[in-house]
Amino acid sequence: MAETYTIRYTAENRYDHPVVEASWQFLIVPLENASQSLGRVFFSNSRGANWEFSQNGFGFTTIRVRNRHELTDIAFEAEFEVLKQPDNPFDFDPSAVPDYRPGDFRELSFRLEHQMFLKPSPLTLLPVSKDCFRFDTGVNCMENLTRLNAWVYEDLDYMPGETGVDTPLSDILDNRKGVCQDFAHLFVAIAREHGLPARYVSGYLHQGMGYVGDAQMHAWAESFVPGIGWKGFDPTNNLLAASDHIKVAHGRDYSDCAPIKGVVFGPGGNSSNHQVAVSSQQ
């Protein structure tokens, strides 16, 4: 049975000194695809600044806001209604998935088709000195990715405040602590290291289900599985992405999917506070 989600996103920015001009880009609008459709959309800001819908370089919907008046604080509020269809991640033919053979993924045509999500990015660069998960040529690609999902879940401790949005994987592997973006970066890096395309995903999680990472925008990964296509993996919760995962966007790493980016003209620092609330009804 389809389920309707209401997502409320709020953000508040404060500046140490008056900002004379500023612009922001929000990547928070749920994606429309085969399993989810977007209904009501609401957006506002406390300064009455002009805003418009746009698209980023990957084709995902963004909200662009531009303020031309002096301010020391601004609050944003968005609300989305999403109809989510049942999404069974195990609904595929296991016999269609080939065994993992590294040589199969070195063909030029495969690498050209998936080159954007095969190359390491700054936040998915594995340190050479670290011993990480290794794929098993005795099992198929999907099983290897499922095992990788479990390995990242077991290897890292979920601990907010230990990492930032630009923490390199070398630090993550040294300390074995992080949040959902770090779990996703590590999964993506190791999948790519073994020749399978993988991408970072930003979105929302159904709250109240006991999942880790549901109080803010969540991050997981998608990998291309030969024989069945792109599948979602949530290493923070050791799950396959399914009906409780509401996708917003994907990219090479967090830098392509940051929920908010901004440019301000003015001296001093700033602080931000973001909150997400997800409710549902069948």
Side-chain angles (χ1 to χ4, degrees):
M1 181 181 296
E3 194 159 8
T4 299
Y5 289 90
T6 300
I7 302 163
R8 186 169 183 265
Y9 174 95
T10 58
E12 185 175 6
N13 291 2
R14 294 185 178 275
Y15 303 94
D16 295 343
H17 299 281
V19 171
V20 295
E21 187 174 346
S23 60
W24 302 268
Q25 175 183 282
F26 290 88
L27 186 54
I28 58 175
V29 181
L31 174 68
E32 293 198 270
N33 58 23
S35 69
Q36 59 188 51
S37 55
L38 188 60
R40 188 173 67 90
V41 175
F42 168 82
F43 182 83
S44 69
N45 65 85
S46 62
R47 297 295 179 175
N50 292 330
W51 64 273
E52 62 182 358
F53 292 111
S54 185
Q55 286 189 336
N56 68 3
F58 289 89
F60 296 109
T61 299
T62 65
I63 298 173
R64 295 181 180 271
V65 185
R66 179 128 188 215
N67 179 76
R68 298 178 181 272
H69 305 287
E70 186 175 285
L71 58 81
T72 55
D73 61 83
I74 186 169
F76 306 93
E77 180 180 352
E79 192 167 286
F80 311 105
E81 189 176 272
V82 178
L83 181 65
K84 184 81 174 181
Q85 301 296 329
D87 187 4
N88 179 4
F90 300 100
D91 185 17
F92 63 89
D93 180 5
S95 66
V97 184
D99 288 342
Y100 175 71
R101 292 185 293 268
D104 292 349
F105 311 117
R106 297 189 183 122
E107 295 182 3
L108 181 59
S109 59
F110 182 85
R111 296 191 65 81
L112 286 175
E113 181 181 357
H114 299 289
Q115 60 179 325
M116 181 178 293
F117 301 115
L118 279 170
K119 297 184 294 185
S121 60
L123 294 175
T124 60
L125 186 62
L126 283 172
V128 177
S129 60
K130 297 296 180 184
D131 184 22
C132 295
F133 180 88
R134 307 305 302 172
F135 277 24
D136 184 351
T137 56
V139 298
N140 68 33
C141 296
M142 186 67 186
E143 178 63 23
N144 270 297
L145 290 165
T146 302
R147 292 181 183 183
L148 170 60
N149 203 45
W151 180 85
V152 175
Y153 169 78
E154 294 165 359
D155 195 61
L156 301 184
D157 291 328
Y158 185 85
M159 196 167 294
E162 295 291 323
T163 59
V165 296
D166 56 355
T167 301
L169 283 179
S170 56
D171 290 356
I172 303 300
L173 290 168
D174 280 340
N175 301 316
R176 307 288 173 170
K177 300 173 185 175
V179 291
C180 56
Q181 68 201 26
D182 305 307
F183 285 67
H185 282 151
L186 185 55
F187 180 101
V188 166
I190 295 175
R192 290 176 183 170
E193 181 81 1
H194 288 84
L196 291 179
R199 56 199 188 193
Y200 181 100
V201 180
S202 175
Y204 304 99
L205 257 183
H206 186 179
Q207 292 179 329
M209 304 295 286
Y211 299 135
V212 174
D214 64 355
Q216 301 287 340
M217 288 197 71
H218 189 52
W220 60 95
E222 289 176 344
S223 184
F224 183 82
V225 184
I228 58 176
W230 290 95
K231 298 292 287 184
F233 299 84
D234 182 353
T236 306
N237 293 286
N238 194 19
L239 296 171
L240 296 186
S243 301
D244 292 330
H245 292 73
I246 304 167
K247 182 175 177 178
V248 169
H250 65 246
R252 292 160 295 188
D253 56 31
Y254 172 87
S255 62
D256 290 332
C257 301
I260 180 173
K261 295 179 179 180
V263 177
V264 297
F265 297 92
N270 69 88
S271 61
S272 299
N273 181 47
H274 308 262
Q275 297 293 330
V276 169
V278 181
S279 58
S280 67
Q281 62 181 54
Q282 290 186 337

